[in-house]
């Protein structure tokens, strides 16, 4: 069933990457340029008023979405927010009730095989042929798009080198670790050099080291010329990776923009933490009276201050500490997170359903 899913969308991509000594993506980027891919910010995906219902449940509720060439576009939301359903509608794997979808400027339909050849998709679960070796798997997926065997052999070699599986070419999936399976997953998807890569929760249930490798690999694919759509409920990944972000909840778009634009939507500013060396009794109250302070507490000699948006919050807090005759050691200032954006807009934590 997993392999059938991948073949239906005509593509499969992403997961743990390593950096080979010779980077095949440099050659890939050059070939992308020579085959005439325009690097201007053209619209790659457009979704207008998309609605998908399951009986009484509206999984996607009049969703608008636009992804431009060269972006790493993040879809952020808790599990059950409609991210995967929206992706499956874009890929025409699900029939939807209302709306329109275009990819590369053309209307997307279930039989848009020419468009699907330009797309690589990675579902949440690894989807490979268990009875084939690493090389045979990559070759089989690449053969969905490339018939010429000589050219396909070159593409498979490049994909294997990119994910660092040269020593495992003859291994079958059951002999691979979880991280190596993820590398095989991405190799199957990038072998045909997709222009649009869609990654649905690619780091679920992987260790931190593998997660970092995945994120670095996505950057390299993007630098090589691929546009990326990345779904996740991990706000740290989206914040670190994506150039443009849409936050979804209950099938709706609740906010979109860059990280800084999203944070500017709310009144929450940074959190200031100061280790004090002795504190007068009135210090906390003096800090609370500052214009942009919403809360201040003192615990075990550490002052915690929650601020509203303001330009000089840290300086004002430190000046107040000094004026009160107290001295301080370590100082930490943390900007607002995407979780706080989600919390202020929706009234609940981003991971409530994760």
């Amino acid at each position: 069933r997993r392999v059938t899913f991948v073949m239906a969308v005509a593509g499969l991509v992403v997961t743990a990457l390593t950096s080979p000594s010779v980077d095949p993506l440099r050659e890939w980027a050059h070939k992308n340029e020579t085959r005439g891919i325009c690097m201007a910010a053209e619209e790659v995906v457009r979704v207008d008023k998309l609605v998908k219902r399951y009986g009484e449940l509206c999984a996607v509720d009049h969703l608008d979405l636009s992804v431009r060439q060269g972006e790493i576009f993040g879809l952020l939301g808790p599990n059950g927010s409609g991210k995967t359903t929206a992706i499956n509608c874009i890929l025409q794997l699900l029939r939807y009730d209302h709306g329109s979808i275009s990819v590369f400027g053309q209307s997307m339909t279930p039989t848009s095989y020419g468009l699907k050849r330009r797309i690589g998709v990675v579902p949440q679960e690894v989807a490979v042929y268990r009875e084939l070796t690493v090389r045979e798997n990559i070759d089989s997926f690449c053969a969905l798009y490339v018939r010429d065997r000589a050219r396909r052999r070159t593409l498979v070699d490049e994909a294997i080198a990119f994910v660092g599986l040269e020593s495992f070419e003859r291994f079958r999936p059951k002999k691979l670790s979880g991280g190596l399976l993820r590398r095989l997953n991405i190799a199957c998807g990038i072998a045909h050099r997709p222009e649009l890569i869609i990654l649905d929760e690619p780091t679920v249930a992987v260790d931190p080291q593998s997660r970092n490798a995945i994120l670095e690999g996505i950057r390299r694919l993007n630098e090589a010329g691929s546009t990326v759509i990345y779904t996740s409920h991990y706000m740290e990944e989206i914040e670190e990776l994506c150039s443009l972000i849409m936050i979804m909840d209950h099938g709706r778009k609740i906010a979109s923009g860059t990280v800084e634009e999203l944070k500017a939507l709310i009144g929450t500013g940074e959190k200031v933490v100061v280790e004090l060396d002795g504190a007068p009794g009135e210090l906390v109250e003096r800090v609370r009276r500052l214009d942009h302070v919403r809360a201040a507490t003192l615990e075990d000699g550490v002052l915690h201050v929650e601020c509203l948006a303001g330009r000089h919050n840290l300086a004002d807090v430190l000046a107040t500490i000094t004026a009160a005759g107290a001295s301080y050691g370590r100082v930490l200032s943390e900007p607002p997170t995407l979780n706080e954006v989600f919390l202020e807009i929706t009234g609940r934590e981003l991971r409530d359903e994760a």
Side-chain angles (χ1 to χ4, degrees):
R1 182 180 299 176
R2 298 175 189 165
V3 173
T4 302
F5 170 86
V6 177
M7 293 180 68
V9 298
L12 197 248
V13 180
V14 158
T15 305
L17 300 171
T18 57
S19 299
S21 57
V22 177
D23 190 350
L25 282 182
R26 292 184 179 178
E27 180 66 15
W28 185 4
H30 172 70
K31 291 177 180 178
N32 276 351
E33 293 174 357
T34 58
R35 71 178 179 177
I37 294 177
C38 177
M39 300 310 290
E42 298 177 353
E43 200 167 45
V44 173
V45 178
R46 182 177 182 85
V47 176
D48 292 304
K49 307 302 180 186
L50 181 66
V51 177
K52 171 61 182 177
R53 294 186 179 91
Y54 294 99
E56 297 296 319
L57 173 66
C58 190
V60 179
D61 189 358
H62 294 86
L63 181 68
D64 294 324
L65 182 152
S66 176
V67 181
R68 296 195 170 274
Q69 192 165 33
E71 287 181 340
I72 302 181
F73 183 91
L75 273 179
L76 177 66
N79 289 336
S81 62
K83 303 185 301 295
T84 298
T85 302
I87 292 300
N88 287 340
C89 288
I90 291 172
L91 294 169
Q92 300 296 313
L93 297 177
L94 287 176
R95 291 184 178 180
Y96 46 92
D97 299 281
H98 179 75
S100 62
I101 297 170
S102 63
V103 178
F104 298 112
Q106 302 177 47
S107 180
M108 187 70 164
T109 70
T111 58
S112 297
Y113 302 120
L115 294 179
K116 291 183 178 184
R117 290 189 182 96
R118 302 167 68 181
I119 302 172
V121 180
V122 70
Q124 292 185 27
E125 296 186 28
V126 172
V128 295
Y129 295 105
R130 298 292 172 173
E131 68 274 14
L132 300 182
T133 66
V134 165
R135 173 170 283 277
E136 289 168 345
N137 259 289
I138 300 170
D139 183 71
S140 294
F141 282 102
C142 192
L144 295 172
Y145 319 96
V146 182
R147 293 187 177 183
D148 183 84
R149 291 186 178 181
R151 180 167 179 264
R152 196 166 70 236
R153 188 179 303 111
T154 299
L155 294 175
V156 171
D157 287 342
E158 290 177 358
I160 289 174
F162 176 66
V163 298
L165 287 177
E166 297 95 328
S167 300
F168 302 94
E169 288 187 29
R170 298 181 182 276
F171 282 49
R172 287 183 169 80
K174 66 180 180 180
K175 296 292 186 180
L176 300 177
S177 67
L180 293 178
L181 270 176
R182 294 290 183 175
R183 297 188 199 182
L184 174 58
N185 213 24
I186 186 173
C188 290
I190 68 171
H192 67 293
R193 297 186 188 143
E195 298 167 54
L196 171 63
I197 301 173
I198 300 177
L199 306 125
D200 189 10
E201 303 272 9
T203 62
V204 170
V206 301
D207 61 89
Q209 184 176 3
S210 296
R211 178 173 293 142
N212 291 336
I214 291 170
L215 299 182
E216 178 58 29
I218 294 169
R219 292 190 192 93
R220 295 173 64 207
L221 290 168
N222 178 248
E223 291 168 359
S226 294
T227 301
V228 177
I229 299 178
Y230 187 92
T231 82
S232 180
H233 62 269
Y234 294 127
M235 59 183 178
E236 300 91 345
E237 293 180 1
I238 294 286
E239 188 166 353
E240 176 185 348
L241 185 67
C242 298
S243 52
L244 192 67
I245 301 165
M246 175 187 292
I247 301 178
M248 290 185 65
D249 192 32
H250 298 300
R252 302 186 187 97
K253 176 178 75 172
I254 62 173
S256 64
T258 65
V259 171
E260 295 307 318
E261 288 170 344
L262 289 173
K263 291 180 179 180
L265 292 175
I266 65 174
T268 303
E270 71 262 42
K271 295 180 180 179
V272 177
V273 180
V274 185
E275 293 182 354
L276 299 175
D277 185 11
E282 73 277 7
L283 174 60
V284 174
E285 187 58 36
R286 293 177 67 170
V287 171
R288 287 172 179 162
R289 289 198 295 265
L290 292 173
D291 288 341
H292 291 94
V293 170
R294 61 193 300 178
T297 58
L298 183 64
E299 300 176 5
D300 299 325
V302 179
L303 179 66
H304 299 266
V305 184
E306 295 182 13
C307 301
L308 300 171
R311 294 185 176 182
H312 310 295
N313 291 334
L314 177 58
D316 291 345
V317 170
L318 296 181
T320 302
I321 293 172
T322 301
S327 58
Y328 55 86
R330 188 171 68 96
V331 177
L332 178 64
S333 177
E334 299 178 339
T337 66
L338 290 178
N339 185 60
E340 288 167 324
V341 175
F342 189 86
L343 176 62
E344 187 154 328
I345 293 174
T346 68
R348 64 195 182 91
E349 293 286 333
L350 180 62
R351 297 187 184 179
D352 278 355
E353 301 175 24

